[in-house]
Amino acid sequence: MPSETLWEIAKAEVEKRRSHGSEGDGAEIGEKSVFFIGSKNGGKTTIILRCLDRDESAKPTLALEYTYGRKTKGHNTPKDIAHFWELGGGTSLLDLISIPITVDTLRTFSIVLVLDLSKPNDLWSTMENLLQATKSHVDKVIMKLGKTSSKASAEMRQRMWSVVQKDHPDRELIDPFPIPLVIIGSKYDIFQDFDPEKRKVICKTLRFVAHYYGASLMFTSKSEALLLKIRGVINQLAFGIEKSKSICVDQNKPLFITAGLDSLCQIGSPPVADSDIGKLQAHSPMELWRKVYDKLFPPKSTGTLKAIQDPARDPQYAESEVDEMRVQKDQELEQYKRSSSKTWKQIELDS
């Protein structure tokens, strides 16, 4: 019987790796993606740089940025690769969410939502808009994946429930996010000086949202100890490192709650008087929590929240020399338009 050719052996090895990669938690693939979304100027870039051990100052993210990191699991083993994507602009560039999340990347994808705790009036709308847009796109990709591989699609839907134990009392009351989700509250150093009642509302609200979506929740700041904790969580998403089982639910300390370890019983009811709950018209627990939150932290008007659609005109990216040249080119363009308009009118008159 003739021996296998080198090509046949290589082909068999690729098929073997593919079959292994579609099973389990995807760790065998050695390649994962983490997508950072969240509040504008909320500290997403700082967290990424810290996770990658890069000693450089964070710059504003213009639109959608990409970088990567490598990590060796053991001696003489290939380095795992982690792809880091970051969406800039807060909620103004939601259409870009579809770029990194595809059928090919979905099974090894995780979301990190970074919320600025120092701006509680913007917090809920930022969180809601980004999570809804991301979930909507992920659901579409899962449906698309199901058309080519029903097994892979079913495994994904099954995996999203793995964060909650089968005997968890809230299993029938939550709706896990379709892919791993971590919610990070940034700028805790500012948040810790808030009025205790305001801190209580924000903490309880974020605990409910994180638990409902089967997400991990943690607070951070520029503190080295807190950044190290966050780094451990991101490394777990990016490189499959063992998940932390520690938990802190004390609202007077930085929250740290791994997915599946919280409960509605521990979180309690929305922080509002029992006499007022009946007055709030809500069709779901999530809507009830939002109404309670909005009562203490009214969202800013649409006009105030509206982001600048043209990043080139955003003050935070101002560069005097470039801006002067831009003004000059704009003036030249307007002059050209006027000149062209006169020329066409003259041609029409002559004809």
Side-chain angles (χ1 to χ4, degrees), residues 36-47 60-61 63 86-94 112-131 182-187 206 293 305 307 316-317:
F36 285 77
I37 58 177
S39 304
K40 189 174 182 179
N41 299 322
K44 300 183 290 296
T45 306
T46 300
I47 294 173
T61 303
E86 181 187 354
L87 180 70
T91 60
S92 65
L93 300 169
L94 297 179
V112 176
L113 172 65
V114 181
L115 299 171
D116 188 343
L117 296 174
S118 71
K119 298 178 180 178
N121 297 81
D122 296 341
L123 191 147
W124 187 285
S125 59
T126 298
M127 174 176 66
E128 184 177 57
N129 289 332
L130 286 167
L131 287 182
V182 171
I183 299 176
I184 297 176
S186 65
K187 303 186 182 180
L206 288 178
Y293 186 87
L305 284 175
Q316 72 169 319
Y317 305 120

Side-chain angles (χ1 to χ4, degrees), residues 200-218:
K200 176 183 176 182
V201 173
I202 295 172
C203 287
K204 291 190 70 171
T205 300
L206 288 178
R207 283 180 66 186
F208 171 79
V209 173
H211 183 57
Y212 181 81
Y213 283 123
S216 295
L217 171 66
M218 51 215 60

Side-chain angles (χ1 to χ4, degrees), residues 33-103:
S33 299
V34 184
F35 192 8
F36 285 77
I37 58 177
S39 304
K40 189 174 182 179
N41 299 322
K44 300 183 290 296
T45 306
T46 300
I47 294 173
I48 294 174
L49 292 174
R50 187 65 186 84
C51 291
L52 295 175
D53 275 333
R54 293 183 185 171
D55 187 18
E56 54 187 85
S57 56
K59 298 177 182 178
T61 303
L62 184 58
L64 182 67
E65 294 197 2
Y66 166 83
T67 188
Y68 69 94
R70 295 175 181 268
K71 190 176 186 66
T72 304
K73 282 188 175 180
H75 185 61
N76 287 334
T77 58
K79 289 185 177 181
D80 287 343
I81 301 174
H83 305 280
F84 291 90
W85 295 86
E86 181 187 354
L87 180 70
T91 60
S92 65
L93 300 169
L94 297 179
D95 291 344
L96 299 182
I97 288 174
S98 62
I99 294 176
I101 307 176
T102 66
V103 171

Side-chain angles (χ1 to χ4, degrees), residues 121-129 132 201 205 208-209 270-271 280-282 284-300 305:
N121 297 81
D122 296 341
L123 191 147
W124 187 285
S125 59
T126 298
M127 174 176 66
E128 184 177 57
N129 289 332
Q132 285 182 354
V201 173
T205 300
F208 171 79
V209 173
L280 297 173
Q281 299 293 325
S284 67
M286 184 68 74
E287 188 178 355
L288 177 62
W289 277 88
R290 172 170 189 163
K291 287 182 178 292
V292 172
Y293 186 87
D294 286 351
K295 192 173 181 180
L296 186 58
F297 302 106
K300 292 184 178 179
L305 284 175

